[in-house]
Amino acid sequence: MLKIWSMKKEQQQKENADGAAGGKKKKVTAAQLRVQKDISELALGSTMKVDFPDPDDILNFVLEIKPDEGCYHGGRFTFTFAMNQNYPHEPPKVRCQQTIYHPNIDLEGKVCLNILREDWKPVLNLNAVIVGLQFLFLEPNAADPLNKEAAEDLRQSRDNFRRNVRNAMSGCTIRGVNYDQVLFSRKN
């Protein structure tokens, strides 16, 4: 687990050293402090991990989810998280990096999760968003779809929906749409 607070202390020591050497101090923003707090409180299970492509930028990171149950079991899905300087007053921007067959994730990776839109409140944190994403893989919601075809399949025939999910996760084409191969072996 990242030691965010020790990273902040190291950053402050470096800034103090830079200040003593005539450099300018880089100020830590309120959004960065809140993200540090949220990250330090994350309760990630064995099916998830967080990666920071740029360790100096904690406002942008990648979450990997490997559902261990439900019809998305065996898949590997990555989401980018981007927070602006108004976080937590504005929700993070979350996008799925793969083209997947899901009623609540469109073909461009936009995620339909109420707490990322109208139900967002500053008291919510990154853990709430991650739990919401995890729940979408366990219980896709056909009542609030971004991918209307997948939602219609889910409403009409759960078995057909599961079959389409498995085929899409294998990288097949469904109704003219090519889906990304997201199945992985348990050794990875």
Side-chain angles (χ1 to χ4, degrees):
M1 185 69 190
L2 290 171
K3 299 195 189 292
I4 302 299
W5 297 113
S6 64
M7 286 173 46
K8 183 177 184 310
K9 187 176 179 181
E10 288 174 19
Q11 178 185 9
Q12 287 173 336
Q13 289 171 345
K14 183 179 183 298
E15 288 169 359
N16 290 340
D18 288 347
K24 291 191 176 193
K25 287 180 88 174
K26 188 176 179 183
K27 190 162 172 89
V28 177
T29 67
Q32 290 170 320
L33 289 172
R34 174 60 188 270
V35 170
Q36 286 175 340
K37 179 182 182 296
D38 285 3
I39 290 169
S40 72
E41 295 173 350
L42 282 181
L44 297 178
S46 61
T47 62
M48 294 178 283
K49 74 176 183 179
V50 173
D51 181 47
F52 292 86
D54 178 356
D56 294 330
D57 181 8
I58 65 165
L59 297 181
N60 295 284
F61 63 90
V62 177
L63 171 73
E64 180 181 90
I65 299 178
K66 296 179 182 178
D68 59 356
E69 56 184 296
C71 56
Y72 292 93
H73 172 78
R76 177 185 293 144
F77 307 94
T78 55
F79 293 85
T80 57
F81 278 66
M83 276 77 58
N84 67 29
Q85 293 301 327
N86 290 328
Y87 181 81
H89 300 287
E90 291 180 15
K93 303 280 187 249
V94 179
R95 282 202 177 238
C96 184
Q97 296 304 291
Q98 295 80 26
T99 303
I100 65 172
Y101 187 80
H102 195 291
N104 310 109
I105 301 172
D106 72 11
L107 300 177
E108 284 120 34
K110 293 180 199 140
V111 178
C112 183
L113 189 61
N114 62 337
I115 63 171
L116 291 175
R117 301 179 318 204
E118 70 275 358
D119 289 345
W120 177 259
K121 293 174 180 45
V123 297
L124 294 172
N125 59 21
L126 292 174
N127 204 55
V129 174
I130 291 170
V131 167
L133 288 174
Q134 195 174 22
F135 189 73
L136 285 181
F137 286 110
L138 189 59
E139 285 294 326
N141 182 1
D144 191 15
L146 279 180
N147 182 330
K148 294 183 186 334
E149 291 80 18
E152 191 60 32
D153 278 350
L154 179 57
R155 277 192 290 270
Q156 289 182 355
S157 168
R158 215 155 175 69
D159 289 337
N160 192 45
F161 174 76
R162 282 191 187 106
R163 190 171 25 265
N164 282 341
V165 167
R166 295 314 287 175
N167 288 336
M169 286 175 41
S170 298
C172 292
T173 300
I174 299 172
R175 293 188 191 99
V177 177
N178 296 322
Y179 290 92
D180 291 336
Q181 200 280 346
V182 296
L183 288 175
F184 71 98
S185 68
R186 283 285 161 197
K187 296 173 189 168
N188 293 343

